Each structure stands twice: as structure tokens, then as C-alpha cells.
């Protein structure tokens, strides 16, 4: 199926708002799926703009551990019959780096940011409460289990050292 | 902590519902002032496990994410992997996946209706609804061979076909289910007990539902017309006529009615599927040592509880580099907290239940009376009884 121009217009408009040089790459995978990578400094501007353009539903935030840091992907969804579309807005930060929180723009992000903080180790600057959400009390602070450097065996060994098993 | 307020932690264990959660509830007299959620008491590390298993092994792990909407995770996973591989599956398989999903939605909504009836102390309704739910459970068992983990979809299609005899029985079962659901819907909309406990209780305003990113029946009961099946159709939902049900009461009664009406829609979808299902193969061959090219996929699905999102990042090979799951209950927890604030302690059980949490466990709770420096430990069951008694004694 051919991809409609609307998808590219959304990206062009976003480029105008955050500046051409701040959009590092984009990709329209198929109808209703857009992937955009932007500089982390422009994240809040981009989220604000997109939420005003109908992408007001944050489906979730995915954290991905990659070789040179972490990717944080905001899956923003536009709802409504026949106009559903998901724009995945990606920022790259160093491992355990800092990303500005978007909770004040999209209050629905409150748990997702905590989850990414637990599992990947990214810090969300400005989040009201980054305490543990899914990891148990007493879990060693240095282990963010979805980082690739923590293999299953290694996590197990560390937990044993901590007196948990 | 102010001296005039109690903190009531509810959770984390509760045997009636799935996914354990803990809610720290701050109360002032009978009113809930603030709520804090803490989840993860049964965090199984499935996302990490998925990275360490092949796609075929993951198929079976994914089905065990949830015991109620098991096919949602599994089918959404197969959709994601097939999209990543650029694999087209036969039309008949798509129809069978939809059929499986809608049977599951009916059983899930009936299960919830029973739980909701139990939470408001209407156990007669609970027993009747669960008796009738066995009708759809039997159909699921005959179709898939299982009641819970149905293992119908597989990468490339589905594993079982529908025969004419079973199709006839599914239609027959749907007729009975439709009659019974009509009766229950009418009962819920008119029965005094249900109305007293659900009308204008657990309010979630439309603006809050949108800003807190609520999903599914919780969102639609606040008047927002959004359903992944209509917004972003997958499989063959763009061919099937159905309505997106909304109510604008923003309360628990609306959530009850949305789910009742969705059962009728599911029944109609099943009838359409059986009437229009094309002949042909039910799966395409996929190599045993399958590999997925380097790509990323966002796969959305309308589970009984709402939008389910899976994100797959592949770097080639036979294992995913990253597989992210966000189940609908997590999306609805901020909304549930919002609903509780301003309500009575006695309404906590039904309000929490109203998002249909897949929340396995809240069976223990502690009430801290800051004034008297006392600490009570209550089970969820005791809280439920407290709620029932409180309503009985109310003038």
C-alpha cells in the first residue's frame, strides 16, 4: 500500500518547529507508522507540538540499550476512527544519561518514565518521583536489568551477593 | 504526613484479580485524599527473557504474559514478527485470529462483569454471569483445545481450522450469550443495588481520561471514541462492520454498560467472520530456523482492557534485540488513582475493579491511623466487607 503524503507533512511540520538540523533522521515504515529521531534538547518542544497536533495519547515509552548509550522512544498515538497513527519519537542519550521529563506536558507519562528509569537507567529530569516502580525493594541500585551488559547469570550472581535469590 | 490523615496501603497480593499492585491510599475520614501506586510485585522479567530466546520460543512465552487475554499478546507478537519479516498470511488465518480474539473478549468481559458484581456484594449476579461464561469457555476449548492458553496463532498463520459443525455451534452459543447479556445489561442499568454502587462513583472526566492516557473501555466510558480496531485496523478489522461503543457517564455504571455493549459487538463480529470467512490454507510455511531482518516494528492491538502496544527491535538473527510490552492495565493505573481521589473508602474495591485490572493481587492491606498511632492490617476481602457494611448502614 502506498504511503500517504500526510505522513511526510507531519514530519516536515515537526522539522519547522524544532529546526531542520535537530531532526537527525526519520523513516515512514508503512501507513500509520512514523519513526523520528531528534536531538534530546528539542524533545519537550517536539512533544508539545505533536500533542497539540492530535498526538495526545502517549502509548508508552520504550527504552533500548545500545552500544553507545540508550535510546528512549516515545510512542505518541493519534486516536480517532480511520485517523489512527503512531509516531515513535526517539532521542539518544549516553548510558544512564538524562532526559527532560514530559510529565507536565503529558501526565500519562508518569509511570512509563519510572519504568524506563528502573530497567534502563535513564534519568528523567523534572519527574516528580523517580522511585522504584517495578523492581523490588532492596534491588541493587547499579543493576538496570535491561542493559545489555547485565546478562542473566551476572544478575543472578549479583543478587546472591546481595542476599536475594 | 498530616496528623489528620490515614495512610491505607492496599496490596500487593489479591487472589481474585491478576497482576499484583500496591496502592498507598491517604484518607481523611471516609474520603480518599491521595493515592500512590506501586507495581512490580510479580515482575517476571519477561522482556529480558524474550531477548534471550528465539522467536519460536517467545511465541509460547508471550502467551503466558496474561492468563485472561493470552491470545492478545501472542497474536500481537505474531503480527509484529510477520510485519518485520514482510510475511503475508492467508486471509482465512486472519479471520480465524479475529474469531479467536473476539471469543476471548466475550469471556474476558463476562469474567469482569462477575468480578464487578462480587465487589459490590451482588454475588447472585456473579454466579449467574460466571455460569454463562462457561458457554464461551466451552466454545474456546472446542476451537483451540484449551481454555486458557489457546495457542491458536503461530508465525505464518494459525494452528487450527474451523469446521462447519463447530461454526454452527459457535453461532448457537452466540445466540444464547446475546440473550443472557441483554438480560444482564438491563439488570445492571435498572437494579437498585448496582445503580447505588456505580452511578456517579469513580468519576474520570473526559479531559482527565485523555491527559492520563487511559485506554479501552475505561477511556470509552468517559466519552472518547477510540478503539485500535477502528483507528488503526489490523488483520481484517477494516472489512468488518462494527461500532465503537462509548458512554459519557464517566462513572463505573458507564464502564459496565460499555463492556456489555462490547459483548454484543463481539458477537456480531463473530457472526460476520463465520459468514464471510474465505476458504483456503490457514498458514504459510515459515522456515524452521527463521530469521528476522534488521528493523523495528510498533504493533498495536485492542485487548479486552484496551490498547496493547508491542515494540520489536530486531538486529537480524533469530532472537529479538529488544521486545517491549505495555499492557493496558499499566496505562490505566494513573486513571484509577484519579478515580479514587475524592471518593469513599468503601468504593475503593469496585473503583479499582472498574478499570478491569489484570492485577493479580491485593489481598493484604494496612491502615495506619496517624492520630491514634495504631496500625490495622486488612485484607482486600475485609475492605470489601467494610464497604458493603458501610453502604448497608448508610441512612
Amino acid at each position: 500500500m502506498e504511503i500517504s503524503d500526510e505522513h511526510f507533512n507531519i514530519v516536515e511540520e515537526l522539522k519547522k518547529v524544532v529546526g531542520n538540523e535537530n531532526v537527525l533522521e526519520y523513516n515512514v515504515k508503512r501507513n500509520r507508522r512514523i519513526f523520528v529521531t531528534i536531538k534530546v534538547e528539542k524533545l519537550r518542544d517536539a512533544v508539545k507540538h505533536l500533542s497539540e497536533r492530535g498526538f495526545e495519547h502517549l502509548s508508552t515509552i520504550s527504552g533500548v540499550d545500545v552500544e553507545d548509550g540508550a535510546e528512549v522512544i516515545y510512542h505518541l498515538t493519534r486516536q480517532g476512527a480511520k485517523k489512527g497513527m503512531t509516531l515513535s519519537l526517539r532521542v539518544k542519550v549516553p548510558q544512564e544519561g538524562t532526559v527532560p521529563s514530559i510529565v507536565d506536558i503529558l501526565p500519562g507519562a508518569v509511570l512509563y518514565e519510572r519504568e524506563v528509569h528502573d530497567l534502563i537507567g535513564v534519568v528523567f529530569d523534572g519527574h516528580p518521583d523517580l522511585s522504584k516502580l517495578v523492581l523490588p525493594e532492596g534491588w541493587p541500585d547499579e543493576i538496570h536489568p535491561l542493559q545489555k551488559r547485565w546478562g542473566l547469570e551476572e544478575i543472578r550472581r549479583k543478587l546472591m551477593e546481595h542476599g536475594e535469590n | 504526613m498530616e496528623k489528620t490523615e490515614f495512610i491505607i496501603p492496599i496490596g500487593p497480593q489479591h487472589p481474585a484479580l491478576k497482576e499484583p499492585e500496591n496502592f498507598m491510599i491517604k484518607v481523611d475520614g471516609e474520603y480518599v485524599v491521595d493515592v500512590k501506586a506501586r507495581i512490580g510485585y510479580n515482575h517476571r522479567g519477561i522482556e529480558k527473557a524474550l531477548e534471550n530466546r528465539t522467536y519460536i520460543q517467545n511465541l509460547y512465552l508471550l502467551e503466558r504474559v496474561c492468563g485472561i487475554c493470552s491470545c492478545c499478546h501472542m497474536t500481537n507478537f505474531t503480527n509484529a514478527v510477520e510485519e518485520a519479516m514482510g510475511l503475508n498470511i492467508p486471509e482465512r488465518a486472519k479471520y480465524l485470529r479475529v474469531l479467536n480474539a473476539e471469543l476471548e473478549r466475550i469471556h474476558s468481559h463476562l469474567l469482569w462483569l462477575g468480578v464487578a458484581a462480587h465487589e459490590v456484594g451482588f454475588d447472585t449476579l456473579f454466579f449467574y454471569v460466571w455460569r454463562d461464561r462457561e458457554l464461551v469457555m466451552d466454545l474456546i476449548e472446542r476451537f483451540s483445545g484449551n481454555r486458557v492458553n489457546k495457542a491458536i496463532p503461530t508465525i505464518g498463520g494459525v494452528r487450527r481450522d474451523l469446521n462447519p459443525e463447530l461454526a454452527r455451534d459457535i453461532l448457537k452459543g452466540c445466540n444464547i450469550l446475546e440473550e443472557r447479556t441483554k438480560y444482564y445489561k438491563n439488570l445492571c442499568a435498572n437494579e437498585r443495588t448496582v445503580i447505588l454502587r456505580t452511578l456517579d462513583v469513580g468519576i474520570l472526566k473526559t479531559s482527565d481520561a485523555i491527559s492520563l492516557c487511559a485506554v479501552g473501555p475505561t477511556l470509552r466510558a468517559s466519552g472518547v471514541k477510540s478503539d485500535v480496531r477502528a483507528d488503526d485496523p489490523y488483520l481484517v478489522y477494516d472489512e468488518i462492520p462494527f461500532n465503537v461503543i462509548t458512554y459519557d457517564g464517566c462513572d463505573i455504571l458507564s464502564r459496565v454498560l460499555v463492556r456489555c455493549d462490547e459483548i454484543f459487538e463481539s458477537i456480531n463480529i463473530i457472526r460476520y467472520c463465520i459468514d464471510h470467512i474465505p476458504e483456503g490454507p490457514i498458514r504459510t510455511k515459515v522456515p524452521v530456523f527463521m530469521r528476522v531482518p534488521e528493523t523495528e516494528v510498533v504493533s498495536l492491538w485492542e485487548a479486552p482492557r484496551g490498547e496493547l502496544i508491542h515494540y520489536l527491535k530486531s538486529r537480524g538473527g533469530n532472537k529479538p534485540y529488544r521486545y517491549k510490552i505495555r499492557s493496558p492495565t499499566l496505562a490505566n493505573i494513573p486513571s484509577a488513582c484519579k478515580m479514587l481521589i475524592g471518593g469513599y473508602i468503601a468504593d475503593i474495591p469496585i473503583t479499582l475493579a472498574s478499570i478491569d485490572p489484570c492485577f493479580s493481587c491485593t489481598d493484604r492491606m494496612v491502615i495506619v491511623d496517624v492520630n491514634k498511632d495504631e496500625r490495622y492490617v486488612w485484607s482486600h476481602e475485609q475492605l470489601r466487607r467494610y464497604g458493603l457494611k458501610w453502604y448497608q448502614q448508610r441512612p
Side-chain angles (χ1 to χ4, degrees):
Chain A
M1 210 200 290
E2 208 167 303
I3 295 163
S4 76
D5 288 343
E6 197 200 350
H7 298 76
F8 299 99
N9 294 341
I10 287 167
V11 179
E12 287 307 317
E13 213 175 298
L14 180 66
K15 274 184 178 174
K16 262 183 219 150
V17 172
V18 300
N20 217 351
E21 69 286 1
N22 291 316
V23 175
L24 302 174
E25 60 175 317
Y26 74 92
N27 187 345
V28 182
K29 289 271 179 189
R30 64 163 170 91
N31 264 326
R32 307 193 295 265
R33 293 286 182 278
I34 308 174
F35 291 80
V36 183
T37 307
I38 61 162
K39 284 192 185 158
V40 66
E41 299 83 44
K42 290 290 169 185
L43 172 71
R44 286 175 55 88
D45 293 347
V47 170
K48 213 174 273 174
H49 162 73
L50 288 166
S51 63
E52 282 158 10
R53 283 280 279 114
F55 292 86
E56 54 188 352
H57 177 77
L58 179 67
S59 289
T60 193
I61 305 174
S62 301
V64 185
D65 186 52
V66 290
E67 288 75 19
D68 49 349
E71 291 182 351
V72 182
I73 310 169
Y74 297 78
H75 303 284
L76 294 158
T77 300
R78 188 175 74 181
Q79 298 174 317
K82 300 255 157 65
K83 55 179 196 151
M85 193 183 284
T86 302
L87 189 149
S88 302
L89 190 67
R90 182 197 332 259
V91 294
K92 284 184 181 168
V93 289
Q95 205 170 44
E96 291 171 35
T98 304
V99 179
S101 168
I102 58 158
V103 172
D104 53 329
I105 307 169
L106 293 173
V110 64
L111 296 183
Y112 303 144
E113 289 190 351
R114 282 173 70 186
E115 188 190 6
V116 175
H117 173 68
D118 271 13
L119 301 176
I120 300 283
V122 173
V123 178
F124 290 88
D125 188 27
H127 190 285
D129 168 26
L130 266 187
S131 60
K132 286 205 172 82
L133 181 74
V134 294
L135 295 178
E137 304 294 338
W139 180 274
D141 281 339
E142 71 269 27
I143 301 184
H144 297 288
L146 284 183
Q147 288 178 352
K148 291 283 177 185
R149 66 189 171 112
W150 295 105
L152 291 178
E153 279 310 312
E154 221 154 334
I155 293 177
R156 233 169 255 147
R157 212 186 54 235
K158 265 277 186 204
L159 289 182
M160 290 277 270
E161 280 168 25
H162 256 78
E164 303 206 5
N165 36 44
Chain B
M1 203 187 285
E2 286 104 81
K3 275 286 173 195
T4 51
E5 285 164 347
F6 295 180
I7 305 275
I8 310 178
I10 302 184
Q13 304 302 323
H14 179 301
L17 303 161
K18 298 198 301 89
E19 273 182 11
E21 286 155 19
N22 167 277
F23 292 88
M24 297 291 283
I25 296 185
K26 198 185 254 190
V27 297
D28 178 9
E30 284 296 331
Y31 291 99
V32 176
V33 188
D34 198 14
V35 183
K36 246 183 100 175
R38 169 81 163 90
I39 61 172
Y41 289 91
N42 200 14
H43 193 259
R44 292 165 288 171
I46 284 187
E47 289 179 10
K48 186 82 176 174
L50 291 167
E51 292 173 9
N52 289 287
R53 284 167 172 77
T54 66
Y55 287 100
I56 300 292
Q57 289 172 321
N58 283 340
L59 195 56
Y60 300 97
L61 182 55
L62 251 304
E63 182 150 51
R64 282 150 183 86
V65 168
C66 175
I68 299 179
C69 52
S70 55
C71 99
C72 297
H73 289 280
M74 199 184 194
T75 321
N76 203 24
F77 173 73
T78 55
N79 287 354
V81 175
E82 285 153 8
E83 188 182 327
M85 295 172 73
L87 194 72
N88 277 320
I89 67 163
E91 281 296 297
R92 189 174 176 84
K94 291 183 187 171
Y95 271 91
L96 290 173
R97 284 183 182 182
V98 169
L99 181 71
N100 186 31
E102 294 304 326
L103 283 171
E104 191 171 82
R105 194 182 314 277
I106 295 174
H107 109 68
S108 177
H109 280 355
L110 286 175
L111 180 138
W112 177 81
L113 189 59
V115 171
H118 173 68
E119 296 294 354
V120 300
F122 197 170
D123 279 334
T124 315
L125 178 60
F126 164 61
F127 287 121
Y128 271 87
V129 171
W130 277 40
R131 181 198 68 179
D132 292 333
R133 176 174 165 269
E134 283 306 309
L135 274 170
V136 69
M137 294 308 283
D138 287 346
L139 294 173
I140 288 171
E141 189 177 352
R142 280 188 52 199
F143 178 37
S144 68
N146 299 298
R147 278 168 67 92
V148 179
N149 291 324
K150 297 171 265 300
I152 280 290
T154 185
I155 295 166
V158 295
R159 294 178 58 245
R160 283 195 178 213
D161 206 349
L162 183 71
N163 62 41
E165 193 199 344
L166 178 58
R168 209 182 48 234
D169 288 350
I170 289 177
L171 290 176
K172 232 189 265 171
C174 280
N175 291 341
I176 303 170
L177 282 167
E178 192 176 33
E179 273 315 300
R180 297 303 301 170
T181 311
K182 261 184 202 154
Y183 176 78
Y184 295 132
K185 187 196 164 191
N186 188 34
L187 189 147
C188 289
N190 297 302
E191 221 280 333
R192 227 176 131 253
T193 321
V194 180
I195 290 179
L196 182 71
R197 294 297 309 274
T198 61
L199 184 68
D200 290 332
V201 176
I203 295 286
L204 181 70
K205 285 186 292 186
T206 309
S207 56
D208 288 333
I210 294 171
S211 72
L212 293 171
C213 302
V215 297
T218 308
L219 179 65
R220 294 192 282 274
S222 290
V224 181
K225 203 166 183 147
S226 167
D227 184 319
V228 182
R229 293 175 293 171
D231 300 357
D232 187 1
Y234 49 91
L235 297 174
V236 286
Y237 280 110
D238 50 349
E239 295 169 16
I240 302 172
F242 68 96
N243 300 315
V244 178
I245 307 293
T246 56
Y247 277 83
D248 47 16
C250 305
D251 56 5
I252 297 173
L253 185 61
S254 292
R255 284 166 219 142
V256 174
L257 297 175
V258 163
R259 291 191 176 93
C260 287
D261 282 355
E262 284 187 9
I263 295 175
F264 300 134
E265 293 302 322
S266 289
I267 289 172
N268 287 333
I269 293 173
I270 289 171
R271 286 177 178 145
Y272 184 93
C273 281
I274 290 179
D275 284 350
H276 292 79
I277 187 163
E279 292 296 328
I282 58 166
R283 65 196 285 191
T284 43
K285 266 232 153 30
V286 176
V288 181
F289 299 103
M290 53 163 282
R291 283 174 189 281
V292 174
E294 187 170 338
T295 184
E296 53 186 342
V297 176
V298 169
S299 190
L300 294 178
W301 178 275
E302 185 72 23
R305 285 156 195 77
E307 176 204 65
L308 164 72
I309 177 168
H310 285 189
Y311 167 74
L312 162 68
K313 187 183 179 76
S314 163
R315 289 204 166 169
N318 61 356
K319 291 175 184 170
Y321 182 77
R322 173 85 170 93
Y323 201 85
K324 160 85 186 172
I325 303 166
R326 198 275 288 138
S327 64
T329 300
L330 182 64
N332 278 334
I333 289 175
S335 306
C337 294
K338 186 84 191 172
M339 289 170 199
L340 291 171
I341 295 171
Y344 295 120
I345 297 176
D347 289 330
I348 294 172
I350 181 61
T351 307
L352 286 181
S354 77
I355 64 161
D356 194 358
C358 228
F359 103 179
S360 73
C361 303
T362 320
D363 204 39
R364 181 165 49 79
M365 61 177 261
V366 184
I367 296 188
V368 180
D369 181 340
V370 183
N371 277 335
K372 298 174 195 153
D373 203 20
E374 282 171 11
R375 204 176 161 92
Y376 314 100
V377 180
W378 274 8
S379 69
H380 176 85
E381 180 58 25
Q382 279 169 311
L383 178 65
R384 192 182 72 87
R385 284 174 199 276
Y386 172 83
L388 301 180
K389 204 168 143 207
W390 190 81
Y391 266 97
Q392 280 162 6
Q393 288 171 350
R394 232 168 70 150

